[in-house]
Amino acid sequence: MALLQANKDLISTGMKEFNVLLNQQVFTDPPISEEAMVTVVDDWVNFYISYYRQQVTGEQQEQDRALQELRQELNTLSTHFLDKYRAFLKSL
């Protein structure tokens, strides 16, 4: 079953907004630990999922699929961000 266009649009919007959030982060000294940053990023992902859960449309199965896809996309963006953060920590 293909995702509804409205849900595709929500996923796209969520990814864009999440990417803006990640790009706004400034790595400062003293840095937080890598483990703490992972926790922060996981909390952000969960916050976005919770927010968009209220906006997805369709039957329950469709909503679940859309939220699963959004989570996968946000986790991918998170991975890139955390790689950048790890590189920052190593450069100190």
Side-chain angles (χ1 to χ4, degrees), residues 1-90:
M1 173 192 309
L3 289 176
L4 296 174
Q5 186 61 46
N7 289 341
K8 288 181 184 179
D9 293 344
L10 280 174
I11 291 167
S12 178
T13 299
M15 289 173 54
K16 288 176 188 170
E17 291 174 355
F18 191 72
N19 204 36
V20 167
L21 171 70
L22 295 177
N23 287 333
Q24 289 176 341
Q25 301 312 303
V26 176
F27 304 147
T28 59
D29 194 18
I32 65 171
S33 70
E34 179 181 341
E35 295 80 17
M37 183 60 81
V38 168
T39 300
V40 168
V41 172
D42 285 345
D43 287 347
W44 289 340
V45 169
N46 290 330
F47 174 79
Y48 273 71
I49 295 300
S50 177
Y51 175 77
Y52 281 102
R53 176 172 277 120
Q54 301 168 14
Q55 299 182 41
V56 292
T57 60
E59 296 183 19
Q60 189 62 48
Q61 183 180 2
E62 171 68 24
Q63 292 177 23
D64 292 345
R65 285 190 63 232
L67 291 170
Q68 180 182 14
E69 185 170 327
L70 177 60
R71 183 176 294 279
Q72 287 174 319
E73 295 294 344
L74 297 182
N75 284 337
T76 298
L77 293 171
S78 296
T79 299
H80 297 301
F81 173 79
L82 291 170
D83 288 344
K84 202 163 67 169
Y85 191 71
R86 283 182 197 97
F88 164 73
L89 290 177
K90 288 179 182 179

